[in-house]
Amino acid sequence: MSRFFKIELRALRALLAICLAAGLVFALFSNERAQSEARSLALFETSTLSWKISELIFETQRLATGLDEYALGNIEKSDVELRFDLMWSRYAVAMESEATQSEKFQRVLVLVGAFLNEEEALLYNAPDISMADIDRISARLDELARMIRVTWVDVFAGRHEQDRLLTPSEQDRLADQNRAIMIALILLLMCYVLAEVYNASEGQRRERRLRQAAADANEAKSRFLANVSHEIRTPLNGILGMASELSATSLTEEQSKCLRVLEDSGGILLSTINDVLDLARVEAGQFDILIKPMVVRDVVEAALELYAPTAREKGLSLDLIIDDALPPFLKADIRRLRQVLHNLVANALKFTETGGVLVQVRLGVDTWTISVKDSGPGIPLEAQTRIFEPFGQADNSATRAHGGTGLGLTISRQICEAMGGTLTLESAPGEGACFLVSLPLKIASIDEISQKQAKPKSPPDLSSLTLLVADDNDTNRTIIGRFLAATGARVDYADTGLAALDAAKAKRFDIILMDIQMPEMDGVAASQAIRAFQAGAGQARSHIIAVTANVLPHQVEEYIAADMDEVLPKPVSKPALMALLDGLSPAKAA
Amino acid sequence: MISRVFCFVAFLSVVLAAPLHALEAPKNTPVLTVSGAISTSNTNGAAVFDRDMLRALDWRQVTTYTSFTEGAQDFAGPTLASLLKALGVEGGTLRATAVNDYTITIPVEHAERHDVILAMEHNGQTMRLRDKGPIWVVYPLSESQAARRPFDGEMVWQLVRIEVVE
């Protein structure tokens, strides 16, 4: 609401500024007009003044010559009177003019007036004029004419503005008013512009601050992810690894049961943690998809296989139908696909009491689909969007029958969308639920598949090789050691990067399993140091494998840049380790 | 053909010449000379008026404001319209000339439209040359009208001649 108000205010201010600008333009125009009017008026006044003065001089001269003519007897007294009257009229007009109110003009006009008044009796009223008077008056007239001309030249040639001042104060006042208004308007406009500029820069600063804060938050999240990843998975690695080792030994019925519970719980814990971290990764934009060729039937069957016991226990059927028309080899992110399938099947089984779950894999147009249909209670419409939201459950009450973090469907949908597909739901209460995964059809070639097919059945024979296991965690070292026992390799251990470096300097290892996060010197630095040493000593390169939970692309790049050869993700699974080492066994290498 | 035109012109001049001598000659000092397209004359095709002849026309008295004077002024004189009527002038323009050869053009319709007066007395006094006499062409105006100076050019003083142009 306040934001709306602010926008309104801003619009209002802008409107006001525009009005001010318009007012300013108008004021400028009217000022211009007034000024040009004043100028033309001044010009007019100047020229009329010139005319009036020149007329006065002219009539003064005419009277003088008239007197001469009269003396010669060429004209009558009445003509002289006429000229006298004319001169007087010119004097009267000149006196009336505002322009002659200046001191200079007044001085000479007063003299003219005095002359006229004094000589009127003689020139105008008397019957005739004596020669002596004629001479006297002529001389006076010449003098007057000269004085008027001098004054005129003085005023106009000298361009004395104040003598030519003619506009009344009224115009001045208006001009001043106008100017004051214009200045006020300009100042207001400047204030407005400055205010807006300041506002804009404030806005920019704020935006930068917010952006920085967001970037910082994101960074903090990523760091948290990396830390949590490591801190949680390491002990989990221990639990699961040891559990799997234990299961390989001979156990009593009682012990087997306990172990199963241990493994299940560990598995659930791992998957829950993975879900949470996945979600965090998605939000931090660090979700990546690894598209690999796969055999569709194998992947789907294996995923379902995991839940066969659960279905049996609940008395539910779990069936799989794969469309014949579907190409056998496709490309997808196998791990993620498995994740989605596990989630959907687990949900289906969890929420169904009677009947069963049917999984169908079909071919679409440029797509292929997996549908998971259950005969459970179904999902009401209003819950159908909610369950896809993070932590959203169909039943949000505290007494809900089924547990779960509520992240499974969220992540499943993210995974499907990240692979370029969709995850949709069709359901109604009482009619069960059908989740449909639709993925883009990417057909894999035979060659790509055959590359994958080579699966090690037995542990590789590494009896001729020396191996170094560097990990700061005792449990991890133990686990890997036990995994490696079957290979027959000669294994040494180091608990820090520095120890690994010392060991490598003392003895050349064929393979080094290097943990990354170690105190004193981390795996990356140790690898670089070992490489440098080996290069310097002319030693054959060791095969350095980075063993870490941090397998984001930029991190993998870091390891490769440090001249490490491979990456083995943590928690370390025995099959993965065996598969990797299988590629390095002398038999294969040869 | 030519003889026909000649006859027509002769007839016209007889017809037109007759009224041209209807105006009496001035007895005193001539004050105003009107020439040009007029229907009557008394001296060489022009109509010369003295003070009495002008007095005999439609003599009016007005109180008015001018842009050359301060405050209300009384003027008395014949209306320009009556002068033009006496001379049979109904349209065209007048070229009014003052004693110093200042000349201005006045449209004939101004006479009726603006009640133009040929002022000869100012505030009861006969106007001498020095008083802008003998004739000042006065357009009666209100004070605010006068302030705008609408007829500064037409209000010629020391008027001596009028030439009527078609």
Side-chain angles (χ1 to χ4, degrees):
Chain A
M1 185 61 200
S2 80
R3 173 129 45 111
F4 178 72
F5 190 60
K6 266 197 179 164
I7 292 174
E8 281 288 300
L9 263 185
R10 204 177 325 145
L12 209 69
R13 280 204 309 269
L15 192 66
L16 198 67
I18 291 174
C19 286
L20 281 178
L24 188 65
V25 168
F26 176 74
L28 273 166
F29 264 134
S30 80
N31 197 34
E32 260 305 304
R33 201 162 39 95
Q35 273 194 353
S36 81
E37 264 179 26
R39 232 176 296 142
S40 57
L41 188 66
L43 214 63
F44 179 71
E45 294 283 349
T46 306
S47 67
T48 51
L49 179 62
S50 294
W51 184 37
K52 287 171 188 170
I53 298 295
S54 96
E55 284 286 284
L56 178 59
I57 296 171
F58 181 64
E59 293 304 340
T60 311
Q61 284 301 130
R62 284 237 303 159
L63 181 57
T65 53
L67 280 172
D68 291 338
E69 293 290 304
Y70 175 71
L72 290 171
N74 291 338
I75 60 172
E76 301 290 324
K77 173 84 180 3
S78 58
D79 295 313
V80 173
E81 285 165 24
L82 198 77
R83 293 189 189 198
F84 179 81
D85 225 8
L86 271 174
M87 180 180 164
W88 199 310
S89 73
R90 296 294 166 250
Y91 155 78
V93 165
M95 280 296 279
E96 278 164 18
S97 171
E98 283 165 11
T100 53
Q101 300 314 310
S102 69
E103 208 207 296
K104 288 198 170 124
F105 274 122
Q106 283 301 305
R107 223 179 305 148
V108 71
L109 285 176
V110 157
L111 289 172
V112 171
F115 164 81
L116 289 168
N117 278 303
E118 284 158 18
E119 305 299 346
E120 183 178 20
L122 205 53
L123 285 176
Y124 201 67
N125 299 326
D128 62 1
I129 323 168
S130 70
M131 280 308 293
D133 286 325
I134 288 174
D135 289 332
R136 182 177 54 81
I137 293 169
S138 288
R140 254 190 117 176
L141 281 171
D142 285 340
E143 181 57 25
L144 280 175
R146 192 193 62 82
M147 281 169 64
I148 297 165
R149 283 183 69 229
V150 161
T151 308
W152 183 25
V153 164
D154 188 17
V155 168
F156 284 96
R159 295 220 180 282
H160 289 172
E161 296 266 351
Q162 56 270 36
D163 291 337
R164 280 191 291 153
L165 199 47
L166 22 76
T167 51
S169 54
E170 173 70 27
Q171 291 231 2
D172 277 351
R173 197 152 42 81
L174 270 170
D176 280 340
Q177 235 176 40
N178 232 358
R179 218 171 299 138
I181 290 174
M182 283 204 300
I183 290 178
L185 286 177
I186 289 176
L187 282 176
L188 278 171
L189 273 176
M190 267 175 32
C191 284
Y192 170 77
V193 168
L194 284 173
E196 288 300 317
V197 166
Y198 178 71
N199 266 345
S201 75
E202 261 300 303
Q204 267 189 339
R205 233 174 292 146
R206 207 178 327 134
E207 193 231 0
R208 227 177 297 136
R209 238 182 302 131
L210 288 172
R211 200 185 288 267
Q212 188 60 36
D216 287 344
N218 218 21
E219 235 187 83
K221 210 190 235 178
S222 301
R223 260 180 285 127
F224 165 76
L225 273 180
N227 282 342
V228 164
S229 224
H230 177 78
E231 294 301 322
I232 291 183
R233 284 182 173 172
T234 306
L236 207 49
N237 202 20
I239 295 173
L240 293 173
M242 278 306 150
S244 103
E245 279 302 296
L246 204 57
S247 67
T249 63
S250 55
L251 300 163
T252 67
E253 190 63 37
E254 207 50 45
Q255 286 171 328
S256 286
K257 249 190 251 176
C258 292
L259 187 62
R260 225 187 342 270
V261 173
L262 203 69
E263 282 181 320
D264 284 347
S265 305
I268 291 171
L269 184 60
L270 184 64
S271 69
T272 306
I273 289 169
N274 281 343
D275 281 355
V276 172
L277 287 177
D278 265 352
L279 190 65
R281 262 203 224 103
V282 163
E283 284 179 359
Q286 291 172 2
F287 203 71
D288 30 62
I289 296 290
L290 203 61
I291 305 282
K292 277 220 176 93
M294 63 168 190
V295 181
V296 181
R297 184 170 285 276
D298 289 347
V299 172
V300 180
E301 272 180 1
L304 261 51
E305 193 54 40
L306 205 62
Y307 290 93
T310 319
R312 252 196 314 272
E313 270 172 37
K314 274 186 99 171
L316 301 168
S317 65
L318 179 58
D319 300 310
L320 170 65
I321 300 177
I322 298 185
D323 195 356
D324 284 330
L326 188 72
F329 311 124
L330 291 176
K331 284 198 267 200
D333 187 328
I334 302 168
R335 183 168 84 93
R336 297 292 184 191
L337 184 61
R338 231 182 266 144
Q339 204 175 340
V340 173
L341 282 171
H342 287 177
N343 178 242
L344 293 178
V345 173
N347 277 350
L349 289 172
K350 185 159 75 170
F351 290 99
T352 306
E353 294 304 319
T354 58
V357 177
L358 171 62
V359 179
Q360 264 185 291
V361 186
R362 282 178 281 222
L363 177 69
V365 180
D366 284 337
T367 60
W368 61 289
T369 61
I370 307 173
S371 64
V372 177
K373 182 152 173 48
D374 67 60
S375 57
I379 304 167
L381 203 61
E382 62 270 15
Q384 284 183 17
T385 21
R386 200 168 55 226
I387 54 175
F388 282 103
E389 282 163 25
F391 309 111
Q393 307 263 20
D395 178 359
N396 269 326
S397 65
T399 56
R400 64 173 181 265
H402 306 284
T405 54
L407 289 173
L409 281 175
T410 316
I411 293 173
S412 298
R413 185 174 255 175
Q414 300 275 14
I415 290 170
C416 293
E417 282 172 2
M419 287 201 279
T422 57
L423 173 58
T424 49
L425 165 63
E426 226 180 87
S427 175
E431 289 176 29
C434 178
F435 284 86
L436 190 70
V437 175
S438 172
L439 295 171
L441 193 65
K442 292 191 210 239
I443 304 177
S445 66
I446 287 286
D447 300 314
E448 287 169 311
I449 289 297
S450 59
Q451 271 173 17
K452 251 208 62 148
Q453 290 291 39
K455 256 195 298 220
K457 297 288 183 225
S458 55
D461 180 17
L462 306 172
S463 45
S464 56
L465 301 179
T466 51
L467 234 132
L468 176 65
V469 175
D471 197 314
D472 61 325
N473 185 281
D474 192 34
T475 316
N476 287 343
R477 286 200 302 273
T478 316
I479 293 172
I480 295 182
R482 292 188 78 97
F483 287 171
L484 290 171
T487 65
R490 278 162 288 158
V491 184
D492 281 330
Y493 301 90
D495 59 357
T496 68
L498 208 56
L501 177 62
D502 290 337
K505 279 188 184 164
K507 169 175 153 184
R508 185 194 169 268
F509 291 95
D510 296 303
I511 302 171
I512 303 178
L513 291 167
M514 185 79 80
D515 179 28
I516 296 297
Q517 269 164 292
M518 291 189 283
E520 280 183 13
M521 185 190 276
D522 72 24
V524 174
S527 303
Q528 282 172 324
I530 292 173
R531 289 284 185 232
F533 167 77
Q534 288 185 330
Q539 225 180 60
R541 277 168 66 95
S542 308
H543 195 88
I544 302 182
I545 301 168
V547 183
T548 173
N550 299 339
V551 289
L552 299 167
H554 72 270
Q555 288 163 324
V556 171
E557 268 173 38
E558 210 189 310
Y559 310 145
I560 304 294
D563 213 2
M564 301 172 91
D565 292 298
E566 275 184 79
V567 178
L568 178 65
K570 265 191 188 173
V572 179
S573 77
K574 192 166 177 183
L577 180 61
M578 292 302 118
L580 197 148
L581 292 175
D582 192 58
L584 298 170
S585 77
K588 287 280 169 67
Chain B
M1 175 68 174
I2 295 175
S3 57
R4 276 213 185 194
V5 171
F6 183 73
C7 276
F8 183 67
V9 167
F11 172 72
L12 267 185
S13 47
V14 167
V15 165
L16 290 176
L20 275 175
H21 291 279
L23 196 65
E24 75 262 22
K27 296 189 186 63
N28 296 324
T29 346
V31 168
L32 177 66
T33 308
V34 188
S35 61
I38 50 178
S39 61
T40 161
S41 74
N42 52 19
T43 317
N44 300 330
V48 180
F49 292 80
D50 62 18
R51 206 170 275 272
D52 295 323
M53 286 165 77
L54 290 170
R55 223 170 237 288
L57 296 171
D58 184 10
W59 188 269
R60 298 268 187 89
Q61 199 142 352
V62 291
T63 307
T64 185
Y65 295 84
T66 78
S67 39
F68 306 95
T69 52
E70 287 277 324
Q73 312 288 328
D74 292 325
F75 291 104
T79 59
L80 177 60
S82 63
L83 175 74
L84 295 176
K85 185 148 162 256
L87 295 173
V89 177
E90 278 160 18
T93 49
L94 311 172
R95 295 195 55 191
T97 309
V99 71
N100 67 340
D101 300 313
Y102 170 83
T103 307
I104 191 79
T105 318
I106 302 176
V108 167
E109 13 333 330
H110 277 204
E112 285 289 338
R113 199 186 307 158
H114 301 288
D115 290 325
V116 181
I117 291 231
L118 300 174
M120 298 181 73
E121 279 174 22
H122 184 192
N123 292 336
Q125 306 275 48
T126 306
M127 290 157 78
R128 301 169 292 179
L129 270 173
R130 73 180 78 166
D131 308 311
K132 299 191 173 62
I135 298 174
W136 187 8
V137 179
V138 170
Y139 285 62
L141 300 167
S142 69
E143 193 169 8
S144 55
Q145 282 171 327
R148 270 184 267 125
R149 318 183 84 110
F151 300 113
D152 271 18
E154 287 87 341
M155 284 174 71
V156 52
W157 55 75
Q158 294 169 344
L159 179 71
V160 288
R161 272 195 309 280
I162 298 179
E163 191 195 331
V164 183
V165 180
E166 282 297 320

